[in-house]
Amino acid sequence: MSKQRPTIADIARRAGVSKVAVSYALNDRPGVSPATRAAIKAIAQEIGWRPNSAARALTHARADAVGLALCRPARLLGMEPFFMELISGIESELSPRGCALLLQVVNDPAQELEVYRRWWGEGRVDGVFLADLRSPDPRIEGVAELGMPAVAIGHPSAAGPLTPVWSDDSGALRDTLAYLTALGHRSIARVAGLPDLIHTQLRDRAQGEICAELGLGEPVVIHTDYSGGEGAHATRQLISSPQRSTAIIYDNDIMAVAGLSVAQEMGLDVPGDLSLVAWDDSQLSRVVRPPLTALSRDIPAYGSHAARTLLALVTHGAAPGFEDAAARLVPRGSTAPPRR
């Protein structure tokens, strides 16, 4: 009987590393230390490993796929219109080009980075998107070290060496606070998202600066996980406070709808007793009663611009960042002057 051909799995077992690390070392890709690379190549030579010519041909071919790993609970992801619309915009660019989107939900940023390393090491993607930029964010440096084409969906200040696609949240927040102030509101709170996300931090900072300019005093902010449950809880806190806010801005539409339900449950008239604004417009914002004033933007177009940028990176090796249009305020029935 002929001896079985040595495989990458055999090398990984002997070296005590993953198959992805072996793939990096044998294909001279970044991602492993020089000492590990040398040890892996020595073991490969010792056991007589030789690359499969068909596999090698595939290695140098395009995967015709890009990846997106999301660190969000799957139950929330399915309920949040933003990501569904973003993905639809990405697909609108990929599908006509015969390029697939590899999507995976993960538990934490470290697992997300490991997914990207595995996809790149196995040749499963030509590039990736990074969403929900954090501070600090080890994914930025980790992906850059791999030399993998990547688009950071977030502000350039947090994108490091990666190519960013972003929109101006501070301008949208300024318009909203100026509008509510013009209506006569002086006590305006915000139910925000996760505090370690860069876009939450940028909104927090902008809110503080704009409140000071408008003479609104210290900003009131409650951070949440973006879920309807936490949005409802934050609304109860704000309504029950002795210094009750007369207007609340929510960082997504799910929380705004939950907040509307809580206000009505507690006997408040919206917008007579309490004005509400949702960040990111959606069908949900329009079907409730009263319909919610919202910060509206073309989220599928945002995804489309991110996909075009990534495809340019894959094809040409470089692409400029892209600033998308800022959200615009759409007043509806949930905002009005406060009752005196």
Side-chain angles (χ1 to χ4, degrees):
M1 294 179 65
S2 60
K3 184 180 176 182
Q4 190 175 2
R5 180 189 181 102
T7 65
I8 282 179
D10 297 327
I11 301 171
R13 204 160 32 246
R14 289 277 297 272
V17 297
S18 68
K19 289 191 287 184
V20 172
V22 174
S23 177
Y24 285 159
L26 296 177
N27 288 292
D28 290 317
R29 284 186 172 183
V32 294
S33 69
T36 301
R37 188 186 311 278
I40 288 170
K41 288 188 173 183
I43 292 169
Q45 185 172 6
E46 178 189 335
I47 68 174
W49 178 85
R50 294 290 181 275
N52 181 295
S53 57
R56 172 155 291 215
L58 286 173
T59 297
H60 296 285
R62 285 271 184 89
D64 287 328
V66 294
L68 172 62
L70 290 173
C71 184
R72 289 285 181 95
R75 62 184 178 81
L76 293 183
L77 187 62
M79 292 164 45
E80 195 168 13
F82 173 83
F83 276 113
M84 296 300 100
E85 292 185 34
L86 183 77
I87 289 168
S88 76
I90 290 172
E91 285 283 16
S92 73
E93 291 294 325
L94 299 183
S95 185
R97 294 166 172 79
C99 187
L101 176 65
L102 210 56
L103 177 66
Q104 187 163 338
V105 176
V106 298
N107 296 321
D108 55 62
Q111 187 183 357
E112 185 178 338
L113 181 54
E114 187 52 40
V115 166
Y116 289 143
R117 284 182 176 137
R118 175 167 52 82
W119 283 347
W120 186 242
E122 294 173 355
R124 298 178 67 186
V125 296
D126 299 318
V128 296
F129 301 100
L130 266 68
D132 284 343
L133 303 187
R134 293 171 169 78
S135 176
D137 199 330
R139 300 174 304 164
I140 302 292
E141 185 179 348
V143 168
E145 285 177 354
L146 295 175
M148 173 171 53
V151 163
I153 302 175
H155 198 269
S157 63
L162 304 185
T163 303
V165 173
W166 78 101
S167 64
D168 177 23
D169 281 357
S170 62
L173 189 55
R174 180 178 296 279
D175 290 347
T176 304
L177 287 168
Y179 165 71
L180 292 172
T181 303
L183 287 177
H185 294 278
R186 306 299 296 171
S187 179
I188 304 168
R190 182 168 139 258
V191 177
L194 295 160
D196 63 331
L197 296 182
I198 289 295
H199 70 261
T200 302
Q201 294 175 10
L202 291 172
R203 292 178 188 183
D204 289 353
R205 193 177 310 139
Q207 183 180 359
E209 293 169 357
I210 298 163
C211 283
E213 290 172 17
L214 296 174
L216 298 176
E218 201 65 29
V220 177
V221 183
I222 298 179
H223 293 107
T224 71
D225 67 356
Y226 286 111
S227 69
E230 288 208 8
H233 180 68
T235 305
R236 287 191 187 94
Q237 280 184 259
L238 293 167
I239 289 176
S240 303
S241 168
Q243 290 79 39
R244 181 171 66 79
S245 301
T246 61
I248 304 175
I249 303 167
Y250 296 85
D251 269 15
N252 75 359
D253 47 356
I254 295 291
M255 295 195 295
V257 170
L260 172 63
S261 178
V262 167
Q264 292 171 340
E265 163 200 313
M266 296 181 72
L268 295 181
D269 175 65
V270 176
D273 298 319
L274 182 67
S275 286
L276 305 179
V277 178
W279 202 308
D280 285 334
D281 200 3
S282 72
Q283 194 65 29
L284 278 176
S285 304
R286 296 187 286 274
V287 298
V288 294
R289 290 292 176 267
L292 292 170
T293 294
L295 282 158
S296 181
R297 58 176 171 160
D298 191 340
I299 299 170
Y302 192 39
S304 174
H305 295 144
R308 273 187 233 159
T309 303
L310 182 55
L311 291 173
L313 274 174
V314 170
T315 304
H316 306 296
F322 184 89
E323 182 175 5
D324 205 53
R328 60 185 179 85
L329 186 69
V330 179
R332 295 196 185 102
S334 67
T335 48
R339 286 179 178 155
R340 300 296 178 187

